[in-house]
Amino acid sequence: CATCSYMGQIAHTNPRRAGNDDAPYVDQDGTECGNTPSNYANGGCSVSDPDYDYFYSAKEGGLCRAKKGSSEVDAIIPASSLSSTTRLEVNQLNKDGDTLYCVVWDGNRYAIRSAKTDGSDLAELYSVQGYDSGKGFYYQIHGLCIYDHTLYFILESMTGASSLAEHYFDLYSMGEDGSIQQKLSGLELTGSATPYVAKDKVYFVYTNPGNANKSSGGSSILSENLDGSDQETIYTCSLAFINGNIILQDGSIYVLENGLAASSSSNYEYQLTRMDPSGGNQSVLLSDSISARSYVGLAGIARDTIYIGKYGDGVLSSFKTVPLAGGDPSDVDVDFTGINAKLMNACDCLLVYGTDTAAASGARVARIGFDGTTYRQLIS
């Protein structure tokens, strides 16, 4: 199936024109490459196929598709069809064949929606209120993904906003038409965690509230089977905390760890660590430092390269690239003015997705090459 290896293999590059967005489509071992592991870890702001990139843009007024090799952008599903409210976030995009899947948050409730790639046959498969006053619980949906034509997602429920509040993470599965919904497992933690659903396990990046200010070991990676068995801590970070989510790709886990800065004017350390899915065979691929006035994030993996985003005041300033096979890292300058930029792997290029000063989703979208070259400013 198109997404059976969604957590799958690293994209093969076209040796003649690799990275150019008007080059022939670069696929991943015969599968549609839009559901790449790093896109999923980054919140799934876009998904791609051989002809189009798909993403939500408040500026364009809906869920859009952008034709590859051009600057043509069409809103295939108007925002008014997704919700009656004006506050919308649409992410966790997935694709299987000619059908798109996403999570819509309208300020009141979360909904898993599906539609054909031309915007037709819009349907709601699952929904939950953001707050249940009767139970006193807040809810979120995380980690929507597809394996073997089955949808998986995490329903997080919490008792409040306090760092000491109890959080419950329930894994659900259902058919691509919304049928056969069932709860597979659950995990309870004090404080929040970031889940990552793989094909056979669920991983959680967890910072115990009691360890939040420790100089080392503040964060851990927990894992459990899809049925909830074999819960264990597979890794405890060697610096203060783990920054964001993990990426599980090609049989390895990649995670970015940060230290603590002594003051706002000093630097802090960070490192990129690789391990196997059980937490073994650990190796540090990169150690560096950055000013406390800036920050770094694990931006994604594309074309056998890891991209670490370097940000200042929320604006992406550059990428540091690290070869998966080993070798010296390099800095890649990026000309992108969006706030909170996220990097998406479109396989034949990269898609950078960000907000503007009004925090409108998809107000800045650009196609760039693997070397940072800007090909198209799709929305600006």
Side-chain angles (χ1 to χ4, degrees), residues 169 189-194 204-209 218-222 242:
F169 300 88
L189 294 171
T190 300
S192 62
T194 306
F204 297 87
V205 175
Y206 176 55
T207 299
N208 189 309
S219 296
S220 300
I221 300 176
L222 317 179
I242 293 172

Side-chain angles (χ1 to χ4, degrees), residues 66-360:
K67 189 171 182 60
K68 293 195 172 184
S70 77
S71 297
E72 177 185 338
V73 178
D74 295 315
I76 57 174
I77 303 178
S80 59
S81 297
L82 296 170
S83 173
S84 59
T85 69
T86 57
R87 176 186 173 184
L88 275 183
E89 295 177 12
V90 180
N91 51 36
Q92 300 177 56
L93 277 157
N94 287 263
K95 182 176 179 291
D96 194 357
D98 64 352
T99 305
L100 298 168
Y101 301 88
C102 63
V103 174
V104 180
W105 164 246
D106 66 5
N108 296 311
R109 70 184 192 122
Y110 290 87
I112 298 176
R113 310 295 295 268
S114 69
K116 298 300 183 184
T117 53
D118 63 0
S120 63
D121 296 343
L122 179 65
E124 182 173 293
L125 308 181
Y126 180 90
S127 68
V128 63
Q129 289 294 125
Y131 178 67
D132 186 325
S133 58
K135 296 181 180 179
F137 273 84
Y138 297 86
Y139 294 92
Q140 294 183 37
I141 292 177
H142 301 281
L144 179 67
C145 58
I146 304 174
Y147 297 110
D148 299 330
H149 304 298
T150 299
L151 293 171
Y152 296 85
F153 64 94
I154 295 274
L155 178 64
E156 179 184 2
S157 54
M158 61 210 84
T159 56
S162 166
S163 63
L164 297 177
E166 294 301 309
H167 290 238
Y168 304 87
F169 300 88
D170 295 324
L171 174 66
Y172 285 82
S173 69
M174 64 182 174
E176 290 189 337
D177 60 355
S179 63
I180 322 176
Q181 296 178 7
Q182 57 181 327
K183 177 181 171 180
L184 302 179
S185 62
L187 179 69
E188 179 182 348
L189 294 171
T190 300
S192 62
T194 306
Y196 186 103
V197 183
K199 192 169 186 177
D200 57 351
K201 286 182 179 291
V202 184
Y203 296 87
F204 297 87
V205 175
Y206 176 55
T207 299
N208 189 309
N211 298 337
N213 296 315
K214 291 179 63 175
S215 60
S216 65
S219 296
S220 300
I221 300 176
L222 317 179
S223 75
E224 65 177 23
N225 295 332
L226 297 188
D227 63 4
S229 62
D230 293 336
Q231 293 181 4
E232 59 180 335
T233 298
I234 65 168
Y235 181 71
T236 299
C237 69
S238 58
L239 297 181
F241 61 93
I242 293 172
N243 186 351
N245 211 337
I246 68 169
I247 296 177
L248 175 60
Q249 181 158 316
D250 198 29
S252 295
I253 290 174
Y254 298 88
V255 64
L256 191 68
E257 304 175 46
N258 281 2
L260 296 174
S263 68
S264 61
S265 61
S266 62
N267 292 350
Y268 67 87
E269 297 177 288
Y270 68 91
Q271 69 182 32
L272 176 67
T273 305
R274 177 168 59 193
M275 68 195 76
D276 65 33
S278 65
N281 297 314
Q282 299 164 13
S283 61
V284 176
L285 303 184
L286 172 71
S287 295
D288 206 343
S289 64
I290 193 170
S291 166
R293 297 180 181 275
S294 303
Y295 66 96
V296 291
L298 185 54
I301 297 178
R303 205 189 59 165
D304 301 342
T305 300
I306 299 175
Y307 289 79
I308 294 175
K310 302 175 72 173
Y311 305 83
D313 295 326
V315 177
L316 177 66
S317 58
S318 65
F319 290 119
K320 186 174 285 291
T321 61
V322 183
L324 287 178
D328 295 332
S330 59
D331 289 311
V332 175
D333 292 329
V334 181
D335 181 16
F336 187 76
T337 58
I339 307 296
N340 300 321
K342 294 190 175 183
L343 184 73
M344 300 290 132
N345 179 9
C347 283
D348 52 2
C349 66
L350 302 172
L351 202 71
V352 187
Y353 179 97
T355 65
D356 61 9
T357 54

